[in-house]
Amino acid sequence: MPPDVVALAAAVVLLAVVGGFAVARERELRRIRRLVRVRAGQSIEPALEATRGRATEAERQARLQAEELAFLVALVGTGVIRLDGDLNVVSANRAAHLFLDAPTGSLPGRHVPDRPPARLDGPGDAIVTGLGDVRLDAVARTAARNGSAADDVASGGPDGRILSVRARRSPSGDVWMILDDLSELRRLQRIRTEFVDNLSHELRTPLTTVRLLTETLTRDLEEIDVPPRVVDLVQKIDVETGHLVQMATELLDLARIEQGGVPQLYIDDVELAPVIQGAVDRLRLFAERQHVRLRSEVAPDLPVVLGDGERLGQLLMNLLHNAIKFSPGGGDVTVRARPTPVPGTPGLVTLEVEDHGVGIPSDDLPRVFERFYKVDKARVRGGGGTGLGLAIVRHIAEGHGGRVSVESVEGQGSTFRVELPAAPPVPSVDRPGAGTSR
Ligand code: ADP
């Protein structure tokens, strides 16, 4: 090929390349102008400068916010620990170090192992784990896996703290742990429980004495000639004092139950008919005031139960008291007792307390035997109770080896049922001279 043709071709290629660059540069400039909102012909520099300024300011604000957040996290009395997705501790505040008895700054960098140590020989063995406690590590692992976890953990430190630990996985995959010190709360709860225990114990003795005195007075009044109004007043004092004794007993029981115990039972053979009659008599006045008719249907062949007569009376009083209280429109409240045979055993005694009052919504039914559970305070005239009555009923029934259940239809009424094991029959004693001997 002649040299001038080659030179021409090279010049054409060069021109094309240079032209291509120019077009590309112009396109890029147009894009930048559009981004920084500058018209063609205007200088791009000031707009770029302003954009850079805004970016620097946004960066400063983000840093400030992160610092403020870190300051706040350091300040709060709640322990906060942040772990990354591989369960390495990224940061932990002062409270977290304090709660876990870890030297300041020693938590970041620790790693929570993927699985618990293979063998735990006992509390004497110091097992150094990621966060210093196997249960804390388990909370972190579960939160990383399932999204959230919680537990109450007794920290191993010298203060013997009880920590409530909650952990959540964040949208970025980190795990945040929140530690609250429950020790002070538990201490206050213990003080309150002891206070209630002491107070109700102290109250019960004088109240019981007043009750005995009014009972004696009621009996004495029958023998002398006093106006019926006086008899009526003394009877009312008697009934109300009975309620006070009942309340003091419930408070005492609550304190015992909160301390982890159950009401103490004094076991003996118990005839239920007089227990039922006693409870009905004590609540008759209350029932009259509520326009409720109290009835009892006791089977004549009712077996004896092995139990604590006073506690069983309390169980019935609680159920009857509720049945009357929750029958705002009046109506009948019936207490029934009948034997229920169970092959191969001495059988059961079934107690039922039936009312036709407000009933209990089906959603609440499984929970009414829980301590402090109340369906709706607004449903009862003159306020509610303590929410403890049924919890105590359950404790007493279970303490007798029995069980309690309820059937109810809202707006129609409720039937509470207690099943107690009947006492085994007393072995027959050989009569002297009957000719039987072994
Ligand atoms: P309280 O002291 O509030 O009566 P209880 O433990 O005895 O506490 O009862 C718990 C809750 O169960 C009551 O607040 C009430 O809402 C419901 N309840 C108990 N007995 C009855 C009943 N016979 N009829 C309707 N609701 C009842």
Side-chain angles (χ1 to χ4, degrees), residues 141-220:
R141 269 192 300 271
T142 311
R145 205 173 41 240
N146 301 346
S148 70
D151 198 358
D152 283 356
V153 174
S155 86
D159 305 338
R161 291 174 199 275
I162 300 160
L163 300 173
S164 143
V165 186
R166 285 164 293 145
R168 292 265 189 291
R169 194 178 55 211
S170 75
S172 71
D174 283 0
V175 172
W176 287 83
M177 297 182 83
I178 304 295
L179 280 61
D180 284 304
D181 186 0
L182 298 184
S183 319
E184 185 59 10
L185 189 69
R186 291 282 155 85
R187 194 180 68 82
L188 292 175
Q189 277 171 345
R190 205 173 49 248
I191 291 176
R192 192 201 60 180
T193 304
E194 280 167 13
F195 173 73
V196 172
D197 189 311
N198 289 337
L199 182 75
S200 39
H201 206 265
E202 293 301 317
L203 275 176
R204 215 159 57 135
T205 314
L207 282 175
T208 310
T209 311
V210 173
R211 176 120 217 265
L212 285 174
L213 291 174
T214 48
E215 271 173 10
T216 317
L217 192 60
T218 315
R219 264 200 311 277
D220 289 355

Side-chain angles (χ1 to χ4, degrees), residues 31-93:
R31 202 174 71 80
I32 291 174
R33 276 204 189 90
R34 235 189 353 263
L35 280 176
V36 295
R37 296 198 182 121
V38 169
R39 283 202 206 94
Q42 276 182 340
S43 168
I44 235 168
E45 295 287 320
L48 276 181
E49 199 52 46
T51 306
R52 198 166 37 236
R54 279 199 296 274
T56 312
E57 177 57 18
E59 211 174 276
R60 198 179 71 84
Q61 287 292 341
R63 206 176 41 244
L64 257 177
Q65 272 184 15
E67 279 169 14
E68 287 292 317
L69 188 66
F71 179 74
L72 179 71
V73 168
L75 203 67
V76 290
T78 300
V80 181
I81 301 175
R82 181 180 166 203
L83 302 105
D84 64 16
D86 297 324
L87 293 184
N88 298 305
V89 178
V90 178
S91 61
N93 69 351

Side-chain angles (χ1 to χ4, degrees), residues 322 325-326 355 360 368 373-375 379 385-387 389-390 414:
N322 278 349
K325 185 166 71 172
F326 293 105
D355 68 63
I360 302 169
V368 288
Y373 193 80
K374 296 193 202 181
V375 174
R379 301 191 310 164
T386 53
L390 289 180
S414 316

Side-chain angles (χ1 to χ4, degrees), residues 223-357:
E223 288 160 21
I224 47 174
D225 190 21
V226 287
R229 209 174 68 85
V230 176
V231 178
D232 184 45
L233 286 178
V234 174
Q235 277 173 349
K236 281 184 177 145
I237 295 174
D238 185 29
V239 169
E240 295 305 331
T241 322
H243 287 162
L244 284 175
V245 175
Q246 166 86 7
M247 262 160 81
T249 309
E250 272 191 16
L251 280 173
L252 195 61
D253 285 343
L254 159 69
R256 301 270 153 87
I257 292 168
E258 281 194 337
Q259 282 166 353
V262 289
Q264 194 176 355
L265 299 177
Y266 298 97
I267 303 294
D268 204 345
D269 279 354
V270 182
E271 296 270 4
L272 282 172
V275 175
I276 294 170
Q277 195 53 48
V280 167
D281 287 347
R282 286 179 69 185
L283 286 169
R284 197 166 300 283
L285 194 67
F286 178 47
E288 274 168 20
R289 278 197 219 132
Q290 300 279 112
H291 309 292
V292 164
R293 207 151 58 105
L294 266 185
R295 291 149 31 116
S296 61
E297 296 171 6
V298 180
D301 54 344
L302 206 58
V304 164
V305 296
L306 258 188
D308 184 326
E310 204 172 310
R311 292 295 181 190
L312 290 172
Q314 187 189 1
L315 173 151
L316 274 168
M317 288 276 293
N318 286 0
L319 290 180
L320 281 170
H321 198 274
N322 278 349
I324 301 167
K325 185 166 71 172
F326 293 105
S327 297
D332 283 358
V333 164
T334 311
V335 49
R336 294 192 190 87
R338 60 167 184 275
T340 309
V342 180
T345 74
L348 298 170
V349 174
T350 304
L351 294 173
E352 272 176 9
V353 175
E354 182 192 63
D355 68 63
H356 303 282

